[in-house]
Coordinates of all heavy atoms in Angstrom, one line a residue:
P1 N -62.2 -83.5 -138.9 CA -62.8 -83.4 -140.2 C -63.9 -84.4 -140.3 O -63.9 -85.4 -139.6 CB -61.6 -83.7 -141.1 CG -60.6 -84.4 -140.3 CD -60.8 -83.9 -138.9
S2 N -64.8 -84.2 -141.3 CA -65.9 -85.0 -141.5 C -65.5 -86.3 -142.2 O -64.5 -86.3 -142.9 CB -66.9 -84.4 -142.4 OG -67.4 -83.2 -141.9
P3 N -66.1 -87.4 -141.9 CA -65.8 -88.7 -142.6 C -66.1 -88.5 -144.0 O -67.0 -87.8 -144.5 CB -66.8 -89.7 -142.0 CG -67.4 -89.0 -140.8 CD -67.2 -87.6 -140.9
Q4 N -65.3 -89.2 -144.8 CA -65.4 -89.2 -146.3 C -66.1 -90.5 -146.7 O -66.0 -91.5 -146.1 CB -64.0 -89.1 -146.9 CG -63.3 -87.8 -146.6 CD -64.0 -86.6 -147.1 OE1 -64.4 -86.5 -148.2 NE2 -64.3 -85.6 -146.2
P5 N -66.8 -90.4 -147.9 CA -67.4 -91.6 -148.4 C -66.4 -92.7 -148.6 O -65.3 -92.4 -149.0 CB -67.9 -91.1 -149.8 CG -68.0 -89.6 -149.7 CD -67.0 -89.2 -148.7
G6 N -66.8 -93.9 -148.2 CA -65.9 -95.0 -148.4 C -65.0 -95.3 -147.3 O -64.1 -96.1 -147.4
E7 N -65.1 -94.6 -146.2 CA -64.3 -94.8 -145.0 C -64.8 -95.9 -144.1 O -64.6 -95.9 -142.9 CB -64.1 -93.5 -144.3 CG -63.2 -92.5 -145.0 CD -62.9 -91.3 -144.2 OE1 -63.5 -91.1 -143.1 OE2 -62.0 -90.5 -144.7
G8 N -65.6 -96.8 -144.6 CA -66.1 -97.9 -143.8 C -67.4 -97.6 -143.1 O -68.0 -96.6 -143.4
P9 N -67.8 -98.5 -142.2 CA -69.1 -98.4 -141.6 C -69.2 -97.0 -140.9 O -68.3 -96.6 -140.2 CB -69.2 -99.5 -140.6 CG -68.2 -100.5 -141.1 CD -67.1 -99.7 -141.8
G10 N -70.4 -96.4 -141.0 CA -70.6 -95.1 -140.4 C -70.1 -93.9 -141.1 O -70.1 -92.8 -140.6
A11 N -69.6 -94.1 -142.3 CA -69.0 -93.0 -143.1 C -70.0 -92.0 -143.4 O -69.7 -90.8 -143.5 CB -68.4 -93.5 -144.4
Y12 N -71.3 -92.3 -143.4 CA -72.4 -91.4 -143.6 C -73.2 -91.2 -142.4 O -74.4 -91.0 -142.5 CB -73.3 -91.9 -144.8 CG -72.7 -91.5 -146.1 CD1 -72.2 -92.5 -147.0 CD2 -72.7 -90.2 -146.6 CE1 -71.7 -92.1 -148.2 CE2 -72.3 -89.9 -147.8 CZ -71.7 -90.8 -148.6 OH -71.3 -90.5 -149.9
D13 N -72.6 -91.2 -141.2 CA -73.4 -91.1 -140.0 C -73.9 -89.7 -139.7 O -74.9 -89.5 -139.1 CB -72.6 -91.6 -138.8 CG -72.5 -93.1 -138.7 OD1 -73.3 -93.7 -139.4 OD2 -71.7 -93.6 -137.9
G14 N -73.2 -88.7 -140.2 CA -73.6 -87.3 -139.9 C -74.1 -86.6 -141.2 O -73.9 -87.1 -142.3
G15 N -74.7 -85.5 -141.0 CA -75.1 -84.6 -142.1 C -76.5 -84.8 -142.5 O -77.2 -85.7 -142.0
P16 N -77.0 -83.9 -143.3 CA -78.5 -83.9 -143.6 C -78.9 -85.0 -144.5 O -80.0 -85.6 -144.3 CB -78.7 -82.5 -144.3 CG -77.3 -82.1 -144.7 CD -76.3 -82.7 -143.8
L17 N -78.1 -85.5 -145.4 CA -78.5 -86.5 -146.3 C -78.7 -87.9 -145.6 O -79.8 -88.5 -145.7 CB -77.5 -86.7 -147.5 CG -77.9 -87.8 -148.5 CD1 -79.3 -87.6 -149.1 CD2 -76.8 -87.8 -149.6
P18 N -77.8 -88.3 -144.9 CA -78.0 -89.6 -144.1 C -79.1 -89.5 -143.1 O -79.9 -90.5 -143.0 CB -76.7 -89.9 -143.5 CG -75.7 -88.9 -143.8 CD -76.4 -87.9 -144.7
T19 N -79.3 -88.4 -142.5 CA -80.4 -88.2 -141.6 C -81.7 -88.3 -142.3 O -82.6 -89.0 -141.8 CB -80.2 -86.8 -140.9 OG1 -79.0 -86.8 -140.2 CG2 -81.4 -86.6 -139.9
A20 N -81.8 -87.7 -143.4 CA -83.1 -87.7 -144.2 C -83.3 -89.2 -144.7 O -84.5 -89.6 -144.7 CB -83.0 -86.8 -145.4
L21 N -82.3 -89.9 -145.1 CA -82.4 -91.2 -145.6 C -82.9 -92.2 -144.5 O -83.7 -93.1 -144.7 CB -81.2 -91.7 -146.3 CG -80.8 -91.1 -147.6 CD1 -79.5 -91.6 -148.1 CD2 -81.9 -91.3 -148.6
R22 N -82.3 -92.0 -143.3 CA -82.7 -92.8 -142.2 C -84.2 -92.6 -141.8 O -84.9 -93.5 -141.6 CB -81.8 -92.5 -141.0 CG -80.5 -93.1 -141.0 CD -79.7 -93.0 -139.7 NE -78.4 -93.4 -139.9 CZ -77.3 -92.7 -140.3 NH1 -77.5 -91.4 -140.5 NH2 -76.2 -93.2 -140.4
R23 N -84.6 -91.4 -141.8 CA -86.0 -91.0 -141.6 C -86.9 -91.6 -142.6 O -87.9 -92.2 -142.3 CB -86.1 -89.5 -141.5 CG -87.5 -89.1 -141.1 CD -87.5 -87.6 -141.0 NE -88.8 -87.2 -140.4 CZ -89.1 -85.9 -140.1 NH1 -88.2 -85.0 -140.4 NH2 -90.2 -85.6 -139.6
A24 N -86.5 -91.5 -143.9 CA -87.3 -92.1 -145.0 C -87.4 -93.6 -144.8 O -88.5 -94.2 -145.0 CB -86.7 -91.7 -146.3
A25 N -86.3 -94.2 -144.5 CA -86.3 -95.7 -144.3 C -87.2 -96.1 -143.1 O -88.0 -97.0 -143.3 CB -84.9 -96.2 -144.1
R26 N -87.2 -95.4 -142.0 CA -88.1 -95.7 -140.9 C -89.5 -95.5 -141.3 O -90.4 -96.3 -141.0 CB -87.7 -94.8 -139.7 CG -86.4 -95.2 -139.0 CD -86.3 -94.5 -137.6 NE -86.3 -93.1 -137.7 CZ -85.2 -92.3 -137.9 NH1 -84.0 -92.9 -138.0 NH2 -85.3 -91.0 -138.0
E27 N -89.8 -94.4 -142.0 CA -91.2 -94.1 -142.4 C -91.7 -95.1 -143.4 O -92.8 -95.5 -143.3 CB -91.3 -92.7 -142.9 CG -91.2 -91.6 -141.8 CD -91.3 -90.2 -142.4 OE1 -91.7 -90.0 -143.5 OE2 -91.0 -89.2 -141.6
A28 N -90.8 -95.5 -144.3 CA -91.2 -96.5 -145.2 C -91.6 -97.8 -144.5 O -92.6 -98.5 -144.8 CB -90.1 -96.8 -146.3
R29 N -90.8 -98.2 -143.6 CA -91.0 -99.4 -142.8 C -92.4 -99.3 -142.0 O -93.2 -100.2 -142.1 CB -89.9 -99.7 -141.8 CG -90.1 -101.0 -141.0 CD -89.0 -101.3 -140.0 NE -88.9 -100.2 -139.1 CZ -87.8 -99.5 -138.8 NH1 -86.7 -99.7 -139.4 NH2 -87.9 -98.5 -137.9
E30 N -92.6 -98.2 -141.4 CA -93.8 -97.9 -140.6 C -95.0 -98.0 -141.5 O -96.1 -98.4 -141.0 CB -93.7 -96.6 -139.8 CG -92.7 -96.6 -138.7 CD -92.4 -95.2 -138.2 OE1 -92.9 -94.2 -138.7 OE2 -91.5 -95.1 -137.3
R31 N -94.9 -97.5 -142.7 CA -96.0 -97.5 -143.6 C -96.1 -98.7 -144.5 O -96.9 -98.8 -145.4 CB -95.9 -96.3 -144.5 CG -96.0 -95.0 -143.8 CD -95.8 -93.8 -144.6 NE -95.9 -92.6 -143.8 CZ -95.8 -91.4 -144.3 NH1 -95.7 -91.2 -145.6 NH2 -95.9 -90.3 -143.6
A32 N -95.3 -99.7 -144.2 CA -95.3 -101.0 -144.9 C -95.0 -100.8 -146.4 O -95.5 -101.6 -147.3 CB -96.6 -101.8 -144.7
I33 N -94.1 -99.8 -146.7 CA -93.7 -99.6 -148.1 C -92.5 -100.6 -148.3 O -91.6 -100.6 -147.5 CB -93.2 -98.2 -148.3 CG1 -94.4 -97.2 -148.2 CG2 -92.5 -98.0 -149.7 CD1 -94.1 -95.8 -148.2
P34 N -92.6 -101.4 -149.3 CA -91.5 -102.4 -149.5 C -90.1 -101.7 -149.7 O -90.0 -100.6 -150.3 CB -91.9 -103.1 -150.8 CG -93.3 -102.8 -151.1 CD -93.6 -101.5 -150.4
P35 N -89.1 -102.3 -149.1 CA -87.7 -101.7 -149.2 C -87.3 -101.5 -150.7 O -86.6 -100.6 -150.9 CB -86.8 -102.7 -148.5 CG -87.6 -104.0 -148.4 CD -89.0 -103.6 -148.4
E36 N -87.7 -102.4 -151.6 CA -87.4 -102.2 -153.0 C -87.9 -100.9 -153.5 O -87.2 -100.3 -154.3 CB -87.9 -103.4 -153.8 CG -87.4 -104.8 -153.4 CD -88.1 -105.4 -152.3 OE1 -89.1 -104.8 -151.7 OE2 -87.8 -106.6 -151.9
Q37 N -89.1 -100.5 -153.1 CA -89.6 -99.3 -153.6 C -88.8 -98.1 -153.1 O -88.6 -97.1 -153.8 CB -91.1 -99.2 -153.2 CG -91.8 -98.0 -153.8 CD -93.3 -97.9 -153.4 OE1 -93.9 -98.9 -153.0 NE2 -93.9 -96.8 -153.6
L38 N -88.4 -98.2 -151.8 CA -87.6 -97.1 -151.2 C -86.3 -97.0 -152.0 O -85.9 -95.9 -152.3 CB -87.3 -97.5 -149.8 CG -86.3 -96.6 -149.0 CD1 -86.9 -95.2 -148.8 CD2 -86.0 -97.2 -147.7
L39 N -85.7 -98.1 -152.3 CA -84.4 -98.1 -153.0 C -84.5 -97.6 -154.5 O -83.6 -96.9 -154.9 CB -83.7 -99.4 -153.0 CG -83.4 -99.9 -151.6 CD1 -82.7 -101.3 -151.6 CD2 -82.4 -98.9 -150.8
V40 N -85.6 -98.0 -155.1 CA -85.8 -97.5 -156.5 C -85.9 -96.0 -156.5 O -85.4 -95.3 -157.3 CB -87.0 -98.2 -157.1 CG1 -87.5 -97.5 -158.4 CG2 -86.7 -99.7 -157.4
T41 N -86.7 -95.5 -155.5 CA -86.9 -94.0 -155.4 C -85.6 -93.3 -155.1 O -85.3 -92.3 -155.8 CB -87.9 -93.7 -154.3 OG1 -89.2 -94.4 -154.6 CG2 -88.2 -92.2 -154.2
L42 N -84.8 -93.9 -154.2 CA -83.5 -93.3 -153.9 C -82.6 -93.2 -155.1 O -82.0 -92.2 -155.4 CB -82.8 -94.1 -152.8 CG -81.3 -93.8 -152.6 CD1 -81.1 -92.3 -152.1 CD2 -80.7 -94.8 -151.6
K43 N -82.6 -94.3 -155.9 CA -81.7 -94.4 -157.1 C -82.2 -93.4 -158.1 O -81.4 -92.8 -158.8 CB -81.6 -95.8 -157.6 CG -80.8 -96.7 -156.7 CD -80.8 -98.1 -157.2 CE -80.0 -99.0 -156.3 NZ -79.9 -100.4 -156.9
L44 N -83.5 -93.3 -158.3 CA -84.0 -92.4 -159.3 C -83.7 -90.9 -159.0 O -83.2 -90.1 -159.8 CB -85.5 -92.5 -159.4 CG -86.0 -93.8 -160.2 CD1 -87.5 -93.9 -160.0 CD2 -85.6 -93.8 -161.6
L45 N -83.8 -90.6 -157.7 CA -83.5 -89.2 -157.3 C -82.0 -88.9 -157.4 O -81.6 -87.8 -157.8 CB -84.0 -89.0 -155.8 CG -85.5 -89.0 -155.6 CD1 -85.8 -89.0 -154.1 CD2 -86.1 -87.8 -156.3
W46 N -81.2 -89.9 -157.0 CA -79.7 -89.8 -157.1 C -79.3 -89.5 -158.5 O -78.5 -88.6 -158.8 CB -79.1 -91.0 -156.5 CG -77.6 -91.0 -156.5 CD1 -76.7 -91.5 -157.4 CD2 -76.8 -90.4 -155.4 NE1 -75.4 -91.3 -157.0 CE2 -75.4 -90.6 -155.8 CE3 -77.0 -89.7 -154.3 CZ2 -74.4 -90.2 -155.0 CZ3 -76.0 -89.3 -153.5 CH2 -74.7 -89.5 -153.9
R47 N -79.8 -90.4 -159.4 CA -79.4 -90.3 -160.8 C -79.9 -89.0 -161.4 O -79.2 -88.3 -162.2 CB -80.0 -91.4 -161.6 CG -79.5 -92.8 -161.2 CD -78.2 -93.2 -161.9 NE -77.9 -94.6 -161.5 CZ -76.7 -94.9 -160.9 NH1 -75.9 -94.0 -160.6 NH2 -76.5 -96.1 -160.6
A48 N -81.1 -88.5 -161.1 CA -81.6 -87.3 -161.6 C -80.8 -86.1 -161.1 O -80.5 -85.2 -161.9 CB -83.1 -87.1 -161.1
A49 N -80.4 -86.1 -159.9 CA -79.5 -85.0 -159.4 C -78.2 -84.9 -160.1 O -77.8 -83.8 -160.5 CB -79.3 -85.2 -157.9
F50 N -77.6 -86.1 -160.4 CA -76.3 -86.0 -161.1 C -76.4 -85.8 -162.6 O -75.6 -85.3 -163.2 CB -75.5 -87.3 -160.7 CG -74.8 -87.2 -159.4 CD1 -75.3 -87.9 -158.3 CD2 -73.7 -86.3 -159.2 CE1 -74.7 -87.7 -157.1 CE2 -73.1 -86.2 -158.0 CZ -73.6 -86.9 -156.9
T51 N -77.6 -86.3 -163.1 CA -77.8 -86.0 -164.5 C -78.0 -84.5 -164.8 O -77.4 -83.9 -165.7 CB -79.1 -86.7 -165.0 OG1 -78.8 -88.1 -164.9 CG2 -79.3 -86.4 -166.5
E52 N -78.7 -83.9 -163.9 CA -78.9 -82.4 -164.0 C -77.6 -81.7 -163.8 O -77.3 -80.8 -164.6 CB -79.9 -81.9 -163.0 CG -80.2 -80.4 -163.0 CD -81.2 -80.0 -162.0 OE1 -82.2 -80.7 -161.8 OE2 -81.0 -78.9 -161.4
Q53 N -76.8 -82.1 -162.9 CA -75.5 -81.5 -162.6 C -74.6 -81.7 -163.8 O -73.9 -80.8 -164.2 CB -74.9 -82.1 -161.3 CG -73.6 -81.5 -161.0 CD -72.9 -82.1 -159.8 OE1 -73.2 -83.3 -159.5 NE2 -72.0 -81.4 -159.2
S54 N -74.5 -82.9 -164.3 CA -73.6 -83.2 -165.4 C -74.0 -82.4 -166.7 O -73.1 -82.1 -167.5 CB -73.5 -84.7 -165.7 OG -74.7 -85.2 -166.2
E55 N -75.3 -82.1 -166.9 CA -75.7 -81.3 -168.0 C -75.1 -79.9 -167.9 O -74.9 -79.3 -168.9 CB -77.2 -81.3 -168.2 CG -77.7 -82.7 -168.7 CD -79.2 -82.7 -168.7 OE1 -79.9 -81.7 -168.5 OE2 -79.7 -83.8 -169.0
R56 N -75.0 -79.4 -166.7 CA -74.5 -78.0 -166.5 C -73.0 -78.0 -166.5 O -72.4 -77.0 -166.9 CB -75.0 -77.5 -165.1 CG -76.4 -77.2 -165.1 CD -76.8 -76.4 -163.8 NE -76.2 -77.1 -162.7 CZ -77.0 -77.6 -161.7 NH1 -78.3 -77.4 -161.7 NH2 -76.4 -78.2 -160.7
T57 N -72.3 -79.1 -166.2 CA -70.9 -79.1 -166.1 C -70.3 -80.4 -166.8 O -69.6 -81.2 -166.2 CB -70.4 -79.1 -164.6 OG1 -71.0 -80.3 -164.0 CG2 -70.8 -77.9 -163.9
R58 N -70.6 -80.5 -168.0 CA -70.3 -81.7 -168.8 C -68.8 -82.0 -168.7 O -68.4 -83.1 -168.8 CB -70.7 -81.6 -170.2 CG -72.2 -81.7 -170.4 CD -72.5 -81.7 -171.9 NE -74.0 -81.5 -172.1 CZ -74.8 -82.5 -172.1 NH1 -74.4 -83.7 -171.9 NH2 -76.1 -82.3 -172.3
T59 N -67.9 -81.0 -168.7 CA -66.5 -81.2 -168.7 C -66.0 -82.0 -167.5 O -65.0 -82.6 -167.5 CB -65.7 -79.9 -168.8 OG1 -66.1 -79.1 -167.6 CG2 -66.0 -79.2 -170.0
L60 N -66.8 -82.0 -166.4 CA -66.4 -82.7 -165.2 C -67.0 -84.1 -165.1 O -66.6 -84.9 -164.2 CB -66.9 -82.0 -163.9 CG -66.3 -80.6 -163.7 CD1 -66.9 -79.9 -162.5 CD2 -64.8 -80.6 -163.6
A61 N -67.9 -84.5 -166.0 CA -68.5 -85.8 -166.0 C -67.7 -86.8 -166.7 O -67.9 -87.1 -167.9 CB -69.9 -85.7 -166.6
D62 N -66.7 -87.4 -166.0 CA -65.9 -88.4 -166.6 C -66.1 -89.7 -165.9 O -66.9 -89.8 -165.0 CB -64.4 -88.0 -166.6 CG -63.9 -87.8 -165.2 OD1 -64.7 -88.0 -164.2 OD2 -62.7 -87.4 -165.0
E63 N -65.5 -90.8 -166.4 CA -65.7 -92.1 -165.8 C -65.3 -92.2 -164.4 O -66.0 -92.9 -163.6 CB -64.9 -93.1 -166.6 CG -65.5 -93.4 -168.0 CD -67.0 -93.9 -168.0 OE1 -67.3 -94.7 -167.1 OE2 -67.8 -93.3 -168.7
R64 N -64.3 -91.5 -164.0 CA -63.8 -91.6 -162.6 C -64.9 -91.0 -161.7 O -65.2 -91.5 -160.6 CB -62.5 -90.9 -162.5 CG -61.9 -91.0 -161.1 CD -60.5 -90.5 -161.2 NE -60.0 -90.2 -159.8 CZ -58.9 -89.6 -159.6 NH1 -58.1 -89.2 -160.5 NH2 -58.5 -89.4 -158.3
Q65 N -65.4 -89.8 -162.1 CA -66.5 -89.2 -161.3 C -67.7 -90.1 -161.2 O -68.3 -90.2 -160.1 CB -66.8 -87.8 -161.9 CG -67.8 -87.0 -161.0 CD -68.2 -85.7 -161.7 OE1 -68.1 -85.5 -162.9 NE2 -68.5 -84.7 -160.9
R66 N -68.1 -90.7 -162.3 CA -69.2 -91.6 -162.3 C -69.0 -92.8 -161.4 O -69.9 -93.2 -160.6 CB -69.5 -92.1 -163.7 CG -70.6 -93.1 -163.9 CD -71.9 -92.5 -163.6 NE -73.0 -93.5 -163.7 CZ -73.9 -93.4 -164.6 NH1 -74.1 -92.4 -165.4 NH2 -74.8 -94.4 -164.6
A67 N -67.8 -93.3 -161.3 CA -67.5 -94.4 -160.4 C -67.6 -94.0 -159.0 O -68.1 -94.7 -158.1 CB -66.1 -95.0 -160.7
D68 N -67.2 -92.8 -158.7 CA -67.3 -92.2 -157.3 C -68.7 -92.0 -156.9 O -69.1 -92.4 -155.8 CB -66.5 -90.9 -157.3 CG -66.4 -90.4 -155.8 OD1 -66.1 -91.1 -154.9 OD2 -66.8 -89.2 -155.7
Q69 N -69.5 -91.5 -157.9 CA -71.0 -91.4 -157.6 C -71.6 -92.7 -157.3 O -72.5 -92.8 -156.4 CB -71.6 -90.6 -158.8 CG -71.2 -89.2 -158.9 CD -71.7 -88.6 -160.2 OE1 -72.3 -89.3 -161.0 NE2 -71.3 -87.4 -160.5
D70 N -71.3 -93.7 -158.1 CA -71.9 -95.0 -157.9 C -71.5 -95.6 -156.6 O -72.3 -96.3 -155.9 CB -71.4 -96.0 -159.1 CG -72.1 -95.6 -160.4 OD1 -73.1 -94.9 -160.4 OD2 -71.6 -96.1 -161.4
R71 N -70.2 -95.4 -156.2 CA -69.7 -95.9 -154.9 C -70.5 -95.3 -153.8 O -71.0 -95.9 -152.8 CB -68.2 -95.7 -154.7 CG -67.7 -96.4 -153.5 CD -66.3 -96.0 -153.2 NE -66.3 -94.8 -152.4 CZ -65.8 -93.6 -152.9 NH1 -65.4 -93.5 -154.1 NH2 -65.9 -92.5 -152.2
R72 N -70.7 -94.0 -153.9 CA -71.4 -93.2 -152.8 C -72.9 -93.7 -152.8 O -73.4 -93.9 -151.7 CB -71.4 -91.7 -153.1 CG -70.0 -91.1 -152.9 CD -70.1 -89.7 -153.2 NE -68.7 -89.1 -153.3 CZ -68.5 -87.9 -153.5 NH1 -69.4 -87.0 -153.7 NH2 -67.2 -87.4 -153.5
L73 N -73.5 -93.9 -153.9 CA -74.9 -94.4 -154.0 C -74.9 -95.8 -153.3 O -75.9 -96.0 -152.5 CB -75.4 -94.5 -155.4 CG -76.8 -95.1 -155.6 CD1 -77.8 -94.3 -154.8 CD2 -77.1 -95.2 -157.1
G74 N -74.0 -96.6 -153.6 CA -73.9 -97.9 -152.9 C -73.9 -97.8 -151.4 O -74.6 -98.6 -150.7
E75 N -73.1 -96.9 -150.9 CA -73.0 -96.7 -149.5 C -74.3 -96.2 -148.9 O -74.8 -96.6 -147.8 CB -71.9 -95.7 -149.1 CG -70.5 -96.2 -149.4 CD -69.4 -95.2 -149.4 OE1 -69.7 -94.0 -149.2 OE2 -68.3 -95.5 -149.5
L76 N -75.0 -95.3 -149.6 CA -76.3 -94.8 -149.2 C -77.4 -95.9 -149.2 O -78.3 -96.0 -148.3 CB -76.7 -93.6 -150.0 CG -75.8 -92.4 -149.7 CD1 -76.1 -91.3 -150.7 CD2 -75.9 -91.9 -148.3
V77 N -77.3 -96.8 -150.2 CA -78.2 -97.9 -150.3 C -78.0 -98.8 -149.1 O -79.0 -99.2 -148.5 CB -78.1 -98.7 -151.6 CG1 -78.7 -100.0 -151.6 CG2 -78.6 -97.9 -152.8
T78 N -76.8 -99.1 -148.8 CA -76.5 -99.9 -147.6 C -77.0 -99.2 -146.3 O -77.6 -99.9 -145.5 CB -75.0 -100.1 -147.5 OG1 -74.5 -100.7 -148.6 CG2 -74.6 -100.9 -146.2
L79 N -76.9 -97.9 -146.2 CA -77.4 -97.2 -145.0 C -78.9 -97.4 -145.0 O -79.5 -97.7 -143.9 CB -77.0 -95.7 -145.1 CG -77.5 -94.8 -144.0 CD1 -76.4 -93.8 -143.7 CD2 -78.8 -94.2 -144.3
C80 N -79.6 -97.2 -146.1 CA -81.1 -97.3 -146.1 C -81.5 -98.7 -145.7 O -82.5 -98.9 -145.0 CB -81.6 -97.0 -147.5 SG -81.8 -95.3 -147.8
I81 N -80.9 -99.7 -146.3 CA -81.2 -101.1 -146.0 C -81.0 -101.4 -144.5 O -81.9 -102.0 -143.8 CB -80.4 -102.1 -146.8 CG1 -80.9 -102.0 -148.3 CG2 -80.6 -103.5 -146.3 CD1 -79.9 -102.7 -149.3
A82 N -79.9 -101.0 -144.0 CA -79.6 -101.2 -142.5 C -80.7 -100.5 -141.7 O -81.2 -101.1 -140.7 CB -78.2 -100.7 -142.2
E83 N -81.1 -99.3 -142.0 CA -82.1 -98.6 -141.2 C -83.4 -99.2 -141.4 O -84.2 -99.3 -140.4 CB -82.1 -97.1 -141.6 CG -83.0 -96.3 -140.7 CD -82.5 -96.2 -139.3 OE1 -81.3 -96.2 -139.0 OE2 -83.4 -96.1 -138.4
Y84 N -83.8 -99.6 -142.6 CA -85.1 -100.2 -142.8 C -85.3 -101.5 -141.9 O -86.3 -101.7 -141.4 CB -85.3 -100.6 -144.3 CG -86.7 -101.0 -144.7 CD1 -87.6 -100.1 -145.1 CD2 -87.1 -102.3 -144.5 CE1 -88.9 -100.4 -145.5 CE2 -88.4 -102.7 -144.9 CZ -89.3 -101.8 -145.3 OH -90.5 -102.1 -145.7
F85 N -84.2 -102.3 -141.9 CA -84.3 -103.6 -141.1 C -83.8 -103.5 -139.7 O -83.7 -104.6 -139.1 CB -83.6 -104.7 -141.9 CG -84.4 -105.0 -143.2 CD1 -83.9 -104.6 -144.4 CD2 -85.5 -105.7 -143.2 CE1 -84.6 -104.9 -145.6 CE2 -86.2 -106.1 -144.3 CZ -85.7 -105.6 -145.6
R86 N -83.5 -102.4 -139.3 CA -82.9 -102.2 -137.9 C -84.0 -102.5 -136.9 O -85.1 -102.1 -137.0 CB -82.5 -100.8 -137.7 CG -81.7 -100.5 -136.4 CD -81.2 -99.1 -136.4 NE -82.3 -98.2 -136.3 CZ -82.4 -97.3 -135.3 NH1 -81.5 -97.3 -134.3 NH2 -83.4 -96.5 -135.2
D87 N -83.6 -103.3 -135.8 CA -84.5 -103.5 -134.7 C -84.6 -102.3 -133.8 O -83.6 -101.7 -133.6 CB -84.0 -104.7 -133.9 CG -84.0 -106.0 -134.6 OD1 -84.9 -106.1 -135.5 OD2 -83.2 -106.9 -134.3
E88 N -85.8 -102.0 -133.4 CA -85.9 -100.8 -132.6 C -86.0 -101.1 -131.2 O -86.4 -102.0 -130.6 CB -87.2 -100.0 -133.0 CG -87.0 -99.6 -134.5 CD -87.4 -98.2 -134.7 OE1 -86.8 -97.3 -134.0 OE2 -88.2 -98.0 -135.6

């Protein structure tokens, strides 16, 4: 089975989202885009995606789901930071 969010280091090693984030982090570093700008963009996109989703399915948008989304975002932020500062 696929790793689940929160299962420790490498939990987001596979799949299209982590692959895209790693690529974005490398490209940001190569283009001298500050890591803060990369993270602000990631957070804006993440929040926008879940805001749109929660407007369609308001009954599922509870505090527990929000906490889970925040935890996942934190894991993805960690992945981006690690990739941005990774030695090649």
Side-chain angles (χ1 to χ4, degrees):
S2 301
Q4 296 299 309
E7 289 185 350
Y12 276 109
D13 283 347
L17 180 58
T19 299
L21 290 176
R22 284 189 185 89
R23 184 177 192 177
R26 284 191 304 270
E27 288 180 13
R29 183 183 61 233
E30 291 166 2
R31 295 177 183 184
I33 296 170
E36 298 85 357
Q37 186 175 347
L38 173 67
L39 297 178
V40 166
T41 301
L42 168 62
K43 289 178 179 183
L44 287 172
L45 291 171
W46 183 264
R47 299 272 186 240
F50 281 104
T51 298
E52 181 179 321
Q53 179 185 24
S54 67
E55 287 176 4
R56 288 190 309 240
T57 58
R58 287 185 193 273
T59 58
L60 299 177
D62 60 4
E63 288 301 315
R64 188 170 163 189
Q65 184 181 27
R66 174 69 182 241
D68 186 49
Q69 291 167 0
D70 288 345
R71 188 189 83 251
R72 290 179 191 181
L73 175 59
E75 292 170 355
L76 294 172
V77 165
T78 299
L79 181 144
C80 278
I81 292 169
E83 186 63 35
Y84 188 94
F85 290 105
R86 187 173 70 118
D87 292 335
E88 299 228 55

